[in-house]
Amino acid sequence: MISKIVAIQGDYLSSLNPLTDTTIFLANEIQKKKYRIFYYNPKDLSIINSKVIAKGYFIKIDYNKKKFYEILTKQNLELSKCNFIIIRQDPPFNSEYISTTFILDTIKDKVKIINDPTSIRNVSEKLYSAKYLKFMPKTIFTQDTYEVKRFLKKNKKIILKPIHGHGGNDICLMTKFKLKFINKFIKKHNHIVCQTYLPKISFGDKRVFLINGKVCGAITRIPKKGSFLSNMSKGAKPKITSLTQKEKKISKLVGKDLKKDKIFLAGIDFIDQKLNGDINVTSPTGLKTLFDISKINLAKTFWKELKA
């Protein structure tokens, strides 16, 4: 084995914001321990002569420079020679995403991969929450327009989400049934999530960080004025928070289940002490933000739990 290499499968480096990005935060922390960082994009992953090869580059992270990364060398690397592979590209969870998990499955007995590629495939970020419905606002999963209409009539004000959506995109608030709109929404997204609207979202949601099954910290994200979206990519502002006993209990339960299902890093969200049903396992974010507002460094916790 080539000693001390962490490979990161992620989006284009030039598209990342080092001020908020969790991937760069994790890479910077392990770099301090003299690991080399190899970075590649999902499209550059191949199986050649029975070996999993990635075309990418070794990089050095430097937060003090305007361009936060330096490309040291470009290389085709056999990924089974790494110590760790971190899957960090953002959703959508599409066919390319699924293909990379199948490719990485072939070497996961030779190298530690986080999160486990089989588990990423099996843990649908929205549908996994179906086992926790008693902790959630009233929720249905459907692509039946009649069921949406009935749900709205009963609950008056509802949120619609695509099951494979991400980053707060395509989330709608509905108070009046519009058949044409619903048909178009379902045609685009197939199965959707319908949830009772929780007005206390105006005070923010809580993002809870789960590492190796443990509840490790949380932040509150407050939507910008006039919005019901708590994603920071949609303008929400973070602040330090603490969890209620109820939130801790639910978080520990979900963390235990995720660990059993081989999910190492996850983020779950609460609104008004209710689990909102997004179990973030593909590319959980917020670690850098937590550090900036609290100085709690969960990147250290992440690598410590991996015994890096």
Side-chain angles (χ1 to χ4, degrees):
M1 177 185 285
I2 301 171
S3 64
K4 301 188 85 166
I5 294 177
V6 171
I8 298 173
Q9 177 175 296
D11 300 314
Y12 287 104
L13 276 166
S14 57
S15 71
L16 304 183
N17 179 1
L19 298 178
T20 58
D21 190 80
T22 292
T23 305
I24 299 306
F25 188 54
L26 290 170
N28 184 64
E29 189 61 40
I30 199 63
Q31 183 179 265
K32 295 175 189 174
K33 295 182 180 292
K34 308 301 180 190
Y35 278 79
R36 299 166 71 202
I37 308 299
F38 181 79
Y39 199 95
Y40 69 94
N41 299 122
K43 68 179 182 61
D44 294 320
L45 188 63
S46 305
I47 298 177
I48 309 290
N49 298 326
S50 300
K51 294 176 180 177
V52 175
I53 306 291
K55 183 187 290 184
Y57 26 83
F58 283 98
I59 62 169
K60 183 179 179 183
I61 307 293
D62 189 343
Y63 275 121
N64 295 317
K65 291 185 178 177
K66 188 176 181 181
K67 187 178 179 183
F68 65 91
Y69 65 94
E70 177 188 352
I71 293 176
L72 303 175
T73 56
K74 293 187 178 183
Q75 193 171 324
N76 288 2
L77 184 69
E78 185 184 340
L79 291 185
S80 63
K81 294 184 176 180
C82 298
N83 300 74
F84 303 98
I85 301 169
I86 313 294
I87 302 175
R88 287 295 305 174
Q89 80 265 32
D90 283 341
F93 189 70
N94 54 17
S95 59
E96 180 184 63
Y97 212 126
I98 292 168
S99 294
T100 64
T101 65
F102 279 119
I103 292 171
L104 292 175
D105 267 344
T106 66
I107 56 168
K108 70 176 190 177
D109 59 335
K110 298 175 184 174
V111 54
K112 183 72 177 173
I113 305 173
I114 302 99
N115 282 317
D116 180 274
T118 310
S119 301
I120 288 177
R121 251 188 348 265
N122 289 346
V123 176
S124 165
E125 295 199 322
K126 302 285 194 299
L127 283 169
Y128 189 81
S129 67
K131 62 169 87 176
Y132 307 118
L133 288 173
K134 66 181 177 180
F135 304 125
M136 292 164 58
K138 291 190 181 73
T139 301
I140 63 169
F141 305 89
T142 189
Q143 54 174 310
D144 186 327
T145 53
Y146 172 74
E147 293 298 342
V148 177
K149 184 177 183 179
R150 195 164 72 157
F151 189 75
L152 176 62
K153 187 177 180 182
K154 191 175 180 181
N155 296 286
K156 310 304 180 198
K157 202 171 185 180
I158 66 172
I159 295 288
L160 307 180
K161 307 181 202 176
I163 275 182
H164 297 296
H166 63 101
N169 297 322
D170 295 325
I171 295 178
C172 303
L173 176 62
M174 178 170 276
T175 55
K176 187 184 290 186
F177 185 75
K178 299 173 184 173
L179 181 60
K180 191 175 178 182
F181 172 82
I182 289 293
N183 280 333
K184 192 175 177 183
F185 196 78
I186 288 173
K187 187 177 181 182
K188 181 180 179 182
H189 299 294
N190 299 312
H191 277 84
I192 62 171
V193 186
C194 304
Q195 278 185 336
T196 305
Y197 173 73
L198 298 175
K200 285 192 177 179
I201 185 58
S202 60
F203 299 107
D205 75 353
K206 291 183 184 180
R207 160 57 58 93
V208 182
F209 305 107
L210 303 174
I211 299 175
N212 200 20
K214 299 171 185 173
V215 181
C216 293
I219 56 174
T220 286
R221 304 173 298 182
I222 301 171
K224 66 182 182 183
K225 193 172 181 180
S227 175
F228 58 88
L229 299 174
S230 58
N231 310 77
M232 287 187 290
S233 60
K234 301 297 185 189
K237 297 294 181 189
K239 73 171 190 176
I240 297 170
T241 194
S242 59
L243 299 177
T244 65
Q245 287 304 118
K246 184 179 179 182
E247 289 164 343
K248 284 178 186 174
K249 185 180 178 182
I250 297 168
S251 297
K252 285 178 182 177
L253 176 68
V254 178
K256 185 180 177 183
D257 287 347
L258 287 172
K259 183 173 182 178
K260 188 173 67 180
D261 288 331
K262 297 184 180 177
I263 292 293
F264 182 82
L265 175 65
I268 62 174
D269 304 322
F270 288 92
I271 302 169
D272 193 15
Q273 298 194 87
K274 292 182 173 64
L275 198 63
N276 86 338
D278 291 354
I279 314 289
N280 297 272
V281 301
T282 53
S283 184
T285 62
L287 300 193
K288 176 68 164 58
T289 302
L290 175 68
F291 176 73
D292 287 341
I293 63 178
S294 71
K295 298 306 171 195
I296 296 169
N297 188 340
L298 291 190
K300 279 186 177 178
T301 307
F302 178 92
W303 293 114
K304 186 179 178 183
E305 288 289 331
L306 281 172
K307 299 179 172 60

